[in-house]
Amino acid sequence: ETLQRIVSTLVNKNDEIHNFIDMLNHTISNVQVNSSNAISELDEEFDGLYSVLHEMKGSMANTIQQEEARKIQALQDQLSQCSHALESSEELLELAVQSLEIKNPAKLLEVENIEQVLVSVSISNILC
């Protein structure tokens, strides 16, 4: 009778161990499925974030390029104005040198608009 109870207890314990093993296998399966789902959701989330960041990068790069073009155009306009002012200044300098070489006062009258040229060059130099 004691042996019968021991055998019966062993059979019950074996059944409990088999049930516990089945439960562990089921838990392992659930953990694997949940992990796989979590990784898929994470991939989707990061793909969405990457897409948003890529769009923002494009927009920011476009803004920078537009600002670069605007600044370069402004600088080129300023360079053109300065070059024109320098050219006018050189012409005025040449005219002044020629005026200094004139010995005859009658010929100096031919250069009567020097004052107008001076005013024009001064304004150009101020703009530059």
Side-chain angles (χ1 to χ4, degrees):
E1 186 177 314
T2 303
L3 187 57
Q4 182 70 20
R5 274 185 311 163
I6 292 174
V7 169
S8 177
T9 302
L10 284 175
V11 168
N12 287 336
K13 291 299 176 184
N14 274 349
D15 287 343
E16 286 178 20
I17 291 173
H18 279 294
N19 289 336
F20 186 68
I21 289 173
D22 287 343
M23 186 188 73
L24 288 175
N25 283 330
H26 181 68
T27 303
I28 288 171
S29 178
N30 285 341
V31 168
Q32 290 172 332
V33 167
N34 290 341
S35 294
S36 179
N37 289 341
I39 288 173
S40 293
E41 290 174 8
L42 185 66
D43 285 343
E44 288 177 19
E45 186 69 26
F46 272 88
D47 286 346
L49 289 172
Y50 178 76
S51 176
V52 168
L53 286 174
H54 188 68
E55 287 176 23
M56 287 177 66
K57 175 187 173 189
S59 174
M60 293 172 107
N62 187 35
T63 300
I64 290 169
Q65 289 171 341
Q66 289 175 351
E67 185 68 14
E68 174 192 26
R70 185 189 65 76
K71 286 180 178 180
I72 287 174
Q73 184 61 49
L75 290 170
Q76 286 177 336
D77 290 346
Q78 192 175 14
L79 178 63
S80 174
Q81 290 172 355
C82 288
S83 295
H84 179 69
L86 181 61
E87 184 179 309
S88 297
S89 178
E90 288 171 353
E91 289 174 4
L92 179 61
L93 183 60
E94 184 179 324
L95 183 62
V97 168
Q98 289 174 1
S99 297
L100 287 174
E101 294 173 358
I102 295 175
K103 304 291 184 210
N104 183 350
K107 286 195 173 187
L108 191 57
L109 292 177
E110 293 175 11
V111 194
E112 66 184 21
N113 63 353
I114 287 179
E115 185 175 308
Q116 290 175 347
V117 173
L118 279 171
V119 169
S120 173
V121 169
S122 295
I123 290 173
S124 295
N125 285 336
I126 290 170
L127 289 176
C128 181

